[in-house]
Amino acid sequence: MANTQEFINQIAPLIVTEGKKRGYSVFSAVIAQAIIESNSGKSKLSQPPNYNFFGLKTGSAWDKAGKPFVAMKTKEEYVAGKLTTITAKFRKYGSMAEGVAGYYDFIATKRYANLKTAKNYIEYANFLKMDGYATSSSYVNTICSTVTKYSLQSYDLGNVPVP
């Protein structure tokens, strides 16, 4: 990816289409997550052959099913302000579209059910943090500032603006 706007132009239509299909109405926060978690599609985890744009770890069901993964170092913030480096197993997908669908599969659990009820990106971001999606103490602020920086709110209308 050359820049963040190109990344948005590529991933936003997939996020909006897949999310609408599954009954979600807030897409700006999801696009912001993809920007943050994948460094606008530049991270090693988001690049082929991994296509993981959301930092999704494997978990026992994924491992038990023998699905593909990649082990990588990552930083977690278990204690506010203190980063701990760990090696974790992350999910691998076959394409950008599969990676986006994988995100919606991941949040289609009881743990994240409240995300479908979010009325705006601020509520969505707060639900994500409350549900334990990320360990970063600044995750909500980072999502919200990313949404406003790139004017992603327009995607919450379910529109896919033409670049």
Side-chain angles (χ1 to χ4, degrees):
M1 294 294 131
N3 66 40
T4 301
Q5 192 56 56
E6 286 179 24
F7 177 70
I8 292 167
N9 295 346
Q10 197 172 8
I11 203 163
L14 299 171
I15 289 171
V16 171
T17 302
E18 191 68 30
K20 278 170 111 176
K21 206 166 43 175
R22 296 179 187 228
Y24 293 86
S25 58
V26 175
F27 310 108
S28 57
V30 181
I31 297 165
Q33 280 185 278
I35 292 167
I36 296 159
E37 298 283 355
S38 75
N39 187 24
S40 298
K42 295 182 197 107
S43 73
K44 187 177 176 193
L45 185 60
S46 66
Q47 293 287 304
N50 301 320
Y51 298 104
N52 184 334
F53 299 94
F54 298 94
L56 300 173
K57 295 183 179 94
T58 60
S60 58
W62 188 274
D63 292 340
K64 198 177 205 175
K67 293 188 176 184
F69 71 90
V70 60
M72 294 185 156
K73 289 194 182 308
T74 186
K75 291 185 184 346
E76 299 293 339
E77 187 180 353
Y78 301 118
V79 176
K82 186 177 185 321
L83 294 177
T84 303
T85 301
I86 64 166
T87 298
K89 288 166 45 178
F90 292 91
R91 298 171 180 213
K92 281 179 75 166
Y93 298 100
S95 67
M96 183 181 264
E98 281 183 28
V100 169
Y103 169 81
Y104 284 108
D105 290 344
F106 184 84
I107 64 167
T109 60
K110 196 191 259 184
R111 176 181 181 174
Y112 297 105
N114 56 0
L115 295 176
K116 276 192 176 175
T117 69
K119 307 227 181 328
N120 57 55
Y121 69 91
I122 297 167
E123 197 170 37
Y124 193 99
N126 278 293
F127 285 164
L128 279 171
K129 181 62 180 157
M130 187 175 71
D131 298 343
Y133 186 92
T135 60
S136 170
S137 58
S138 60
Y139 200 66
V140 172
N141 289 340
T142 304
I143 287 174
C144 293
S145 64
T146 301
V147 168
T148 56
K149 179 178 181 177
Y150 296 103
S151 301
L152 301 175
Q153 305 92 314
S154 60
Y155 291 98
D156 292 339
L157 304 172
N159 299 324
V160 181
V162 178

